[in-house]
Amino acid sequence: MVERGRVTGNARGVARRRVHEVLVHTYDAQLAAGAVQPMPADVAIDGVAEFLDTCNSTPSAWPHEAATLHYHATDGHSWLLTSDDTGAWPAPLTDDAATASASATGRAEQLLLFVGGRLTLSDLKTEGDQPVFEQLIAWEPEE
């Protein structure tokens, strides 16, 4: 079960993670076969949320200027990731959220493949300070 900023270590959390891994690896196999099929949007949306909650949540101080990233899935959901001296914290994007330092927009499938390292920023619509995404990708927080 995912809570803000952490994943509880139970079978449900592990199963959830495996579903998203299978989805991305299915894409890999389909790409190799030249027959990529669309991902179920609801599963891809959950995959982005799960990735942000598990792989981008940390109490380790962000070593760069404070930044807020927005991720927009055109098929149903948006998130923000705030990175500062208290760490990196994802949350659903609300109307009163902080202005984005940078944003990435695409279908949930594209966002999942981006955070999974299969697509690059050039595959998404981006706005703002793109190097913040590059800093996030390169960052290896210490815990």
Side-chain angles (χ1 to χ4, degrees), residues 68-72 79-81 93 97-105 133:
T68 300
L69 296 175
H70 290 187
Y71 295 86
H72 303 285
W79 304 265
L80 65 82
L81 180 69
L93 186 63
T99 302
S101 305
S103 66
T105 303
F133 281 107

Side-chain angles (χ1 to χ4, degrees), residues 67-89:
T68 300
L69 296 175
H70 290 187
Y71 295 86
H72 303 285
T74 57
D75 44 359
H77 202 78
S78 295
W79 304 265
L80 65 82
L81 180 69
T82 302
S83 302
D84 59 25
D85 61 354
T86 68
W89 307 108

Side-chain angles (χ1 to χ4, degrees), residues 51-70:
F51 183 90
L52 292 173
D53 280 336
T54 59
C55 298
N56 285 148
S57 291
T58 179
S60 294
W62 173 247
H64 307 285
E65 183 177 330
T68 300
L69 296 175
H70 290 187

Side-chain angles (χ1 to χ4, degrees), residues 112-127:
L112 180 60
L113 293 171
F114 169 67
V115 298
R118 287 359 185 239
L119 297 181
T120 66
L121 277 176
S122 65
D123 296 306
L124 303 169
K125 178 185 174 201
T126 59
E127 294 181 3

